[in-house]
């Protein structure tokens, strides 16, 4: 079993949605998947309710987003129902310590 953290940074809607299918496939295969949205991807998600809901429903734990970016760009209210806003730097460091491989989109 593999532990993967999907780090989604791109603001392009297609690149934000693409890892969703990957996550679904890997979860079915028994792998552990975590998803983190950081920077421009958070803006894209704030404008796409369906995509936010789909990520939240597919994963075993709520996807994460950067609290600092969300605050700076006034996205907290929009994202906080579907995405857990955390200090991403600390979250990434902890995931690496736990043996997660980071895949960036």
């Amino acid at each position: 079993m593999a532990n993967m953290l999907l780090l989604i940074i791109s603001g392009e809607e297609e690149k934000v949605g693409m890892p969703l299918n990957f996550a679904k496939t890997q979860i079915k295969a028994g792998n552990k998947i975590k998803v983190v949205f950081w920077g421009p991807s958070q803006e894209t998600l704030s404008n796409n309710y369906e995509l936010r809901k789909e990520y939240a429903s597919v994963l075993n734990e709520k996807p994460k987003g950067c609290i600092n970016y969300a605050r700076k760009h006034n996205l907290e209210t929009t994202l906080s129902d579907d995405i857990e806003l955390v200090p991403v730097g600390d979250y990434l460091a902890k995931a690496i310590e736990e043996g997660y491989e980071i895949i960036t989109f």
Side-chain angles (χ1 to χ4, degrees):
M1 177 173 21
N3 295 332
M4 294 176 260
L5 185 144
L6 309 182
L7 179 60
I8 305 168
I9 301 170
S10 176
E12 294 178 48
E13 190 164 332
E14 184 176 337
K15 289 183 180 178
V16 173
M18 200 170 55
L20 185 59
N21 289 330
F22 178 76
K24 288 177 187 177
T25 303
Q26 294 306 308
I27 290 167
K28 283 182 185 175
N31 294 315
K32 290 185 179 179
I33 301 292
K34 294 182 181 217
V35 174
V36 174
F37 297 99
W38 200 2
S41 65
Q42 291 177 242
E43 299 230 18
T44 302
L45 278 181
S46 74
N47 295 319
N48 192 323
Y49 174 81
E50 292 82 19
L51 192 55
R52 282 196 318 269
K53 289 295 181 189
E54 193 167 3
Y55 266 105
S57 71
V58 165
L59 301 171
N60 294 327
E61 69 174 46
K62 214 173 194 183
K64 308 298 186 258
C66 181
I67 184 67
N68 298 314
Y69 189 91
R71 284 182 181 152
K72 183 176 180 181
H73 296 276
N74 298 315
L75 303 173
E76 269 184 286
T77 304
T78 307
L79 296 177
S80 62
D81 286 344
D82 304 304
I83 296 175
E84 184 180 349
L85 298 171
V86 299
V88 167
D90 295 341
Y91 186 79
L92 292 176
K94 183 178 177 195
I96 291 168
E97 286 175 7
E98 293 173 353
Y100 278 81
E101 296 291 330
I102 297 178
I103 302 170
T104 307
F105 293 88

